[in-house]
Amino acid sequence: MAASLPPTSRSVLALALPMTLAHVTTPLLGLVGAMVIGRLGEAALLGAMALGAVIFDAIFWSFGSLRMATAGLTAQAVGAHDRDDVDRTLARALAAAVLVGLVIVLAQVPIAALAFRISGASPEVLAALAAYFHVRIFAAPFTLANYAILGSVLGRGRTDIGLVIQVAINLANIALTLVLVLGAGLGVTGAGIATLVAEAAGTGLGLFVLARLGSRPFRVPLAAIRDPLALARMLSVNADVMIRTLLLVGAIVLFSALGARAGDVTLAANAVLWNLFLVGGFFLDGFATAAETLCGQAVGARDETAFRRAARLSLAWCLVFGAAISGLFLLGGERFIDGVTTSPEVREAARLYLVPAALAPLIAGLPFAFDGIYIGATWTRAMRDLMLAATLVYAVLIVATWQAGGGNLGLWLAFLGLLGARGIGQALAYPGLVARTFGTPLAVRGDGSAPRRL
């Protein structure tokens, strides 16, 4: 089992940068897929791929809590030098992934009916989408298992391995898409098969790598996997993170919907600027991952000094990178806009809202870092409640700016308010949570054995 990492600037960067690179490969996969399908010369096929990506992102992102919860619980087990608990955490996460994945596969007909109805696409697009959807849906158990595997790897502090696994899955998907779509002429069905095979291969690779690290999740007794206390804790952490994620998704959907009501040009301008923010998010999410690992391991080791240092360094680096990214966007944002769109109207509209969009990474630095800290410490209930409070602030700001005639600028300011409210709320709650975590031991371990602090 990997040893706990010391909380230093070097360890923060060593953990953050590989995951940043891993995140960057994901949009590359979508770009290649669109280019391959686009070469078939049928707009309906390209539309089906785009809609399919949105649908599966919505399905799987809803269960992204599986990755984060596994990372936090694993990091604490590593910090406590409890090899058995690392394997038990992984075994429970894999069992949950397979179970939920199979439920998604079995429920594919009603899921498809609802998603297709909401999409409002043409019959030609829906026919192609159905061919893609009903193949790729079988990747659900593997995709969710990969979330669990990635969480276990990250909790051990091996973001380098996480990078290798993620890149391997994406490269395999790209290669298979080229072979099956262009070579075999299978169209969107081939793209679905490519994703299915790549995700399954990724699961196999991940389990192989974990075995080389000494993990034996399939040797964990069924009684330990089904332990009521441990299951309750895992499900509670997952549920809290899922609710937080759904609230965040809802806020983004509301942002998009209100932007659309301002007209097609404004909608397109927001889409360009949103991509700018997502680029910044790649870097910030890497530092959130570093905070998950270092803070979780410090909690497991019952080392308050290491925890505070890990939190402080994660916050500092996240804010430094957030400020640097915002400065870069302010200086080069206009060139980015011109590179994304050739429409004079969209370019002009995007420039009007460039400043608030460019400031978003700076303001997001605080909540991104605290998300990692809270997940590592498994303060997920507090994270959920603070997200709910920030969402209410966001709603109030939207209503206030909309009534004041703020239009799309008011919408961006409300979004910045959401980010700021999350970060400030987490910062205010942080001291009390630290005192409670390091001042109150748990009565028993998750498996019912001898008492120890978590």
Side-chain angles (χ1 to χ4, degrees):
M1 183 177 70
S4 298
L5 297 171
T8 64
S9 289
R10 183 175 181 177
S11 62
V12 170
L13 291 171
L15 289 167
L17 296 182
M19 289 314 298
T20 298
L21 293 175
H23 294 322
V24 169
T25 65
T26 300
L28 177 62
L29 171 63
L31 176 62
V32 172
M35 290 175 63
V36 171
I37 295 297
R39 289 181 64 85
L40 299 180
E42 296 184 37
L45 298 183
L46 190 57
M49 280 289 292
L51 276 177
V54 171
I55 292 170
F56 283 108
D57 283 348
I59 294 172
F60 295 139
W61 197 19
S62 299
F63 297 99
S65 58
L66 192 61
R67 198 281 297 165
M68 291 181 275
T70 305
L73 294 172
T74 300
Q76 291 184 14
V78 170
H81 303 289
D82 191 338
R83 179 188 294 272
D84 291 339
D85 202 28
V86 170
D87 281 352
R88 285 192 292 265
T89 298
L90 176 57
R92 293 186 193 106
L94 287 172
V98 172
L99 180 61
V100 173
L102 290 176
V103 169
I104 291 173
V105 171
L106 293 174
Q108 61 179 283
V109 172
I111 292 174
L114 177 62
F116 294 3
R117 184 183 183 112
I118 292 174
S119 72
S122 67
E124 293 79 8
V125 170
L126 289 180
L129 177 59
Y132 176 74
F133 179 91
H134 291 295
V135 172
R136 184 177 171 182
I137 194 72
F138 285 93
F142 300 110
T143 300
L144 298 184
N146 288 332
Y147 286 178
I149 291 169
L150 182 60
S152 185
V153 168
L154 298 183
R156 300 162 199 253
R158 297 304 304 269
T159 55
D160 54 337
I161 295 177
L163 169 63
V164 170
I165 294 174
Q166 291 298 104
V167 171
I169 293 173
N170 289 336
L171 289 180
N173 202 337
I174 290 171
L176 288 168
T177 299
L178 290 170
V179 171
L180 296 176
V181 175
L182 296 182
L186 296 180
V188 292
T189 301
I193 295 173
T195 300
L196 169 58
V197 175
E199 292 287 352
T203 300
L205 174 62
L207 292 174
F208 172 77
V209 169
L210 288 173
R212 293 297 297 270
L213 293 177
S215 273
R216 299 291 184 268
F218 299 112
R219 295 184 183 179
V220 175
L222 184 59
I225 296 176
R226 296 169 57 186
D227 177 81
L229 289 177
L231 275 178
R233 186 183 184 209
M234 184 192 78
L235 293 174
S236 175
V237 171
N238 273 278
D240 291 337
V241 178
M242 181 180 290
I243 293 171
R244 165 261 186 194
T245 301
L246 291 175
L247 287 170
L248 183 58
V249 171
I252 294 171
V253 168
L254 180 60
F255 179 93
S256 299
L258 292 177
R261 298 180 74 177
D264 291 347
V265 172
T266 299
L267 176 62
N270 282 350
V272 172
L273 295 174
W274 188 255
N275 281 313
L276 198 68
F277 174 65
L278 289 180
V279 171
F282 292 148
F283 291 91
L284 298 180
D285 202 42
F287 289 99
T289 299
E292 290 175 22
T293 300
L294 294 173
C295 291
Q297 291 182 358
V299 168
R302 302 302 303 156
D303 190 338
E304 183 177 353
T305 300
F307 179 86
R308 289 183 179 275
R309 179 168 173 77
R312 190 163 57 249
L313 287 171
S314 299
L315 283 164
W317 278 107
C318 217
L319 289 172
V320 165
F321 266 76
I325 294 165
S326 287
L328 184 63
F329 288 171
L330 286 171
L331 293 174
E334 292 189 0
R335 292 184 180 179
F336 177 87
I337 292 168
D338 292 345
V340 173
T341 178
T342 58
S343 168
E345 295 84 3
V346 174
R347 286 178 173 180
E348 182 180 357
R351 282 179 168 80
L352 291 176
Y353 313 112
L354 175 59
V355 172
L359 291 176
L362 172 61
I363 299 175
L366 197 62
F368 266 74
F370 270 122
D371 274 354
I373 294 166
Y374 275 52
I375 289 169
T378 57
W379 297 336
T380 52
R381 180 174 298 179
M383 185 172 69
R384 177 201 67 192
D385 293 343
L386 289 167
M387 182 65 212
L388 177 59
T391 302
L392 293 175
V393 171
Y394 177 58
V396 170
L397 289 174
I398 284 180
V399 171
T401 56
W402 207 260
Q403 288 182 343
N408 196 56
L409 176 61
L411 194 58
W412 274 102
L413 294 177
F415 179 68
L416 295 182
L418 170 68
L419 296 175
R422 287 185 63 215
I424 292 171
Q426 289 168 317
L428 292 175
Y430 173 78
L433 291 168
V434 172
R436 188 176 69 186
T437 296
F438 291 96
T440 306
L442 292 179
V444 295
R445 288 172 47 169
D447 59 2
S449 58
R452 70 174 171 91
R453 294 170 182 253
L454 282 179

